[in-house]
């Protein structure tokens, strides 16, 4: 069961000028971080339930919180993608700096890029699947998004 | 790499130093020499003028001249180009790097900076800035937002509501930046959008700077009772990654761009992933 009140409470507590400005003692900063982490944990469940209902399929939705250092266990475990992708936006190699940052957090060597857009209020769904060699190359297409 | 470009923007780099050199708005045929680099202010621990140290509540550099993070070395760079993105990776030091990125179809330059752990083995607290230098005749003025809404004009060493006798030439000219800071002359405007609140200023005409990270070794005696020296789980100094979006435009049309882009940045879409092929949510 998802719940947004934990995050609301954590953000409410973090309205204190110390939390906003980072002028608190270290252990207080750690406590703010802990409350926020617990908050978004249960709020992500709520969003996942909403997406399942809106998209019509039950999924094990994953929010990769470390995408800013190219860490996402789900996609890394979902098999390799050839780096010689023609046509598409291609694959951008992950910089040594980012690899150093993420330490043992992930093992991907590149990021698959494609251009995407989402409606101002709503979501778009994109599927990345690996075709067998024999399949003709298809142009990337988006599954139609229900109008609402 | 000498340059990267997309439909709207071209960015030139200095082949000798590896730094950003010029930004061109191809839609408006505007070009502006822009030098950008990272520096650090040496945090004051108090001096004969005042015992005030730099700390969590107080920014007080011990000199007005920041030190270049890359020292006198060339910034090492490499280029990544494909159909959707063109980027130059810049290494300023072992703890400071940046990716200058142009996304296909986007009218702005994305600077993704990564700073930390800030080294303090030399016993000096450091306050890291990203500084832009241009040829804009800004006449001691710059502009910062207040909570993403009102834009306020700031004037160096001046306060509109009282006669300021400036005692801190740098810190006394720093202001809060919640979402954007810009400088302009009569024709052109350079706007920098931030992805979080930072301190910012324009310490000399044509320049603009934003503070991206700090690591201090003394308490500022304002109550918190410990230096601002946050450590990560590995007991190393924090590593921080963020983005600055640069927009070069005419003064007349700058607001059209930065207002909408700032909203997009503030309410960016969130990526959620799933293995796919899950059972139907509804029976039947």
């Amino acid at each position: 069961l998802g719940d947004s009140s934990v995050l609301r409470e954590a953000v409410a507590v973090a309205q204190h000028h110390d939390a906003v400005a980072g002028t608190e003692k270290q252990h207080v900063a750690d406590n703010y971080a802990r409350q926020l982490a617990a908050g978004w944990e249960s709020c992500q469940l709520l969003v996942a339930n909403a997406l399942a209902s809106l998209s019509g399929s039950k999924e094990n939705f994953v929010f990769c919180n470390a995408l800013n250092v190219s860490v996402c266990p789900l996609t890394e475990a979902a098999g390799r993608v050839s780096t010689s992708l023609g046509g598409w936006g291609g694959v951008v190699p992950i910089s040594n700096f980012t690899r150093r940052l993420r330490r043992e957090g992930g093992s991907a060597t590149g990021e698959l890029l494609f251009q995407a857009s989402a409606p101002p209020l709503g979501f778009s769904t994109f599927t990345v699947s690996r075709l067998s060699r024999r399949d003709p190359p298809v142009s990337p297409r988006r599954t139609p998004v229900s109008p609402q | 790499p000498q340059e990267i470009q997309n439909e709207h923007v071209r960015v030139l780099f200095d082949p000798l130093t590896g730094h950003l050199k010029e930004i061109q708005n191809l839609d408006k045929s505007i070009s502006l020499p822009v030098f950008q680099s990272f520096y650090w202010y040496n945090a004051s621990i108090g001096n004969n003028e005042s015992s005030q140290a730099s700390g969590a509540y107080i920014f007080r550099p011990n000199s007005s001249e920041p030190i270049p993070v890359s020292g006198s070395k060339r910034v090492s760079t490499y280029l990544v180009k494909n159909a959707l993105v063109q980027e130059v990776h810049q290494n300023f030091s072992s703890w400071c790097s940046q990716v200058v990125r142009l996304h296909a179809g986007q009218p702005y330059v994305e600077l993704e900076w990564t700073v930390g752990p800030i080294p303090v083995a030399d016993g000096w607290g450091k306050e890291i800035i990203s500084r832009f230098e241009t040829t804009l005749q800004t006449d001691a003025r710059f502009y910062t937002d207040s909570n993403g809404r009102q834009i306020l004009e700031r004037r160096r060493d001046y306060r509109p509501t009282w006669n300021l006798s400036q005692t801190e030439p740098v810190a006394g000219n720093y202001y809060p930046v919640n979402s954007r800071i810009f400088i302009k002359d009569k024709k052109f405007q350079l706007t920098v959008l931030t992805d979080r609140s930072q301190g910012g200023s324009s310490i000399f005409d044509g320049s603009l700077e934003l503070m991206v990270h700090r690591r201090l070794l003394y308490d500022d005696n304002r109550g918190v009772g410990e230096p601002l020296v946050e450590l990560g789980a590995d007991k190393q100094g924090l590593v921080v990654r963020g983005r600055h979006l640069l927009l070069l435009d005419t003064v007349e049309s700058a607001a059209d761009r930065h207002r909408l882009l700032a909203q997009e940045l503030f309410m960016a879409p969130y990526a959620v992933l799933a293995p796919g092929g899950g059972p139907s949510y509804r029976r039947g």
Side-chain angles (χ1 to χ4, degrees):
Chain A
L1 193 63
D3 175 2
S4 62
S5 67
V6 182
L7 183 60
R8 189 170 54 235
E9 174 69 15
V11 172
V13 165
Q15 296 309 305
H16 187 283
H17 73 88
D18 271 343
V20 172
T23 46
E24 69 283 47
K25 283 181 181 296
Q26 186 60 52
H27 69 273
V28 179
D30 296 341
N31 186 268
Y32 285 133
R34 188 189 55 74
Q35 291 185 56
L36 286 168
W40 72 54
E41 190 79 29
S42 56
C43 209
Q44 284 176 350
L45 251 177
L46 184 79
V47 172
N49 293 342
L51 280 173
S53 164
L54 288 168
S55 64
S57 77
K58 281 185 194 167
E59 287 290 351
N60 166 24
F61 287 103
V62 174
F63 296 77
C64 293
N65 295 325
L67 277 181
N68 68 340
V69 284
S70 309
V71 169
C72 185
L74 178 93
T75 54
E76 293 179 38
R80 321 293 298 167
V81 171
S82 148
T83 57
S84 61
L85 270 175
W88 285 47
V91 176
V92 172
I94 290 172
S95 70
N96 296 333
F97 217 89
T98 298
R99 293 189 212 200
R100 243 185 19 236
L101 274 189
R102 70 185 185 193
R103 299 188 184 83
E104 61 291 332
S107 58
T109 56
E111 289 182 325
L112 176 67
L113 278 192
F114 57 92
Q115 209 147 28
S117 67
L121 184 62
F123 62 95
S124 298
T125 305
F126 300 87
T127 304
V128 178
S129 51
R130 192 174 28 192
L131 302 174
S132 67
R133 274 190 205 296
R134 282 185 307 287
D135 290 304
V138 289
S139 67
R141 68 180 172 72
R142 291 189 306 144
T143 40
V145 178
S146 47
Q148 71 270 24
Chain B
Q2 315 259 334
E3 68 177 57
I4 54 176
Q5 85 171 70
N6 67 14
E7 303 88 317
H8 303 289
V9 187
R10 179 182 297 127
V11 179
L12 307 184
F13 293 84
D14 184 317
L16 294 180
T17 65
H19 283 105
L20 189 65
K21 185 172 84 169
E22 183 173 311
I23 297 177
Q24 298 173 356
N25 175 331
L26 305 176
D27 301 326
K28 304 273 177 62
S29 308
I30 303 173
S31 70
L32 180 71
V34 180
F35 171 85
Q36 181 273 342
S37 193
F38 291 91
Y39 298 82
W40 58 274
Y41 284 111
N42 189 341
S44 171
I45 59 173
N47 59 8
N48 46 18
E49 281 159 37
S50 156
S51 61
Q52 180 63 61
S54 215
Y57 282 84
I58 303 278
F59 164 46
R60 186 179 184 229
N62 82 347
S63 132
S64 298
E65 280 312 311
I67 295 113
V69 166
S70 55
S72 54
K73 292 198 301 292
R74 183 191 185 285
V75 175
S76 68
T77 58
Y78 69 89
L79 176 66
V80 174
K81 267 189 183 180
N82 65 42
L84 286 185
V85 75
Q86 299 201 2
E87 45 190 53
V88 169
H89 290 239
Q90 298 171 308
N91 241 23
F92 293 83
S93 79
S94 61
W95 52 275
C96 180
S97 76
Q98 177 171 259
V99 180
V100 181
R101 187 176 287 127
L102 292 179
H103 294 274
Q106 298 301 331
Y108 57 81
V109 187
E110 177 179 286
L111 302 184
E112 184 189 62
W113 42 267
T114 308
V115 177
I118 299 174
V120 288
D122 55 11
W124 289 332
K126 298 179 177 66
E127 303 172 283
I128 318 301
I129 61 166
S130 171
R131 175 181 275 179
F132 302 82
E133 296 176 32
T134 75
T135 53
L136 290 176
Q137 308 297 316
T138 54
D139 190 22
R141 281 162 175 75
F142 59 104
Y143 301 83
T144 64
D145 78 296
S146 167
N147 279 333
R149 298 163 61 91
Q150 184 186 10
I151 297 284
L152 299 172
E153 178 182 277
R154 310 295 192 178
R155 248 172 69 185
R156 200 169 316 121
D157 298 336
Y158 169 79
R159 292 295 186 277
T161 48
W162 83 88
N163 286 331
L164 170 70
S165 62
Q166 185 58 279
T167 57
E168 291 289 342
V170 172
N173 286 303
Y174 256 68
Y175 289 88
V177 172
N178 296 116
S179 65
R180 73 208 78 184
I181 180 170
F182 62 79
I183 50 175
K184 62 181 180 175
D185 63 13
K186 292 186 176 29
K187 289 195 291 181
F188 303 136
Q189 176 169 320
L190 179 71
T191 306
V192 181
L193 295 181
T194 58
D195 61 355
R196 66 199 72 178
S197 292
Q198 289 165 335
S201 186
S202 168
I203 297 297
F204 50 87
D205 274 12
S207 82
L208 178 165
E209 61 192 63
L210 285 159
M211 188 170 288
V212 294
H213 196 3
R214 305 173 78 201
R215 187 174 179 187
L216 308 177
L217 303 177
Y218 289 79
D219 174 47
D220 55 17
N221 202 23
R222 297 293 172 129
V224 77
E226 61 183 53
L228 183 74
V229 61
E230 192 153 0
L231 304 178
D234 56 359
K235 297 299 166 225
Q236 293 288 320
L238 282 191
V239 181
V240 185
R241 171 167 282 186
R243 293 188 300 157
H244 286 151
L245 304 190
L246 302 191
L247 287 157
L248 171 65
D249 216 321
T250 59
V251 171
E252 293 71 33
S253 49
D256 282 357
R257 289 264 192 204
H258 71 68
R259 285 181 187 277
L260 294 179
L261 186 54
Q263 292 289 345
E264 271 184 50
L265 197 58
F266 181 64
M267 295 184 277
Y270 200 90
V272 185
L273 297 114
S280 164
Y281 183 80
R282 292 175 184 79
R283 224 182 307 288

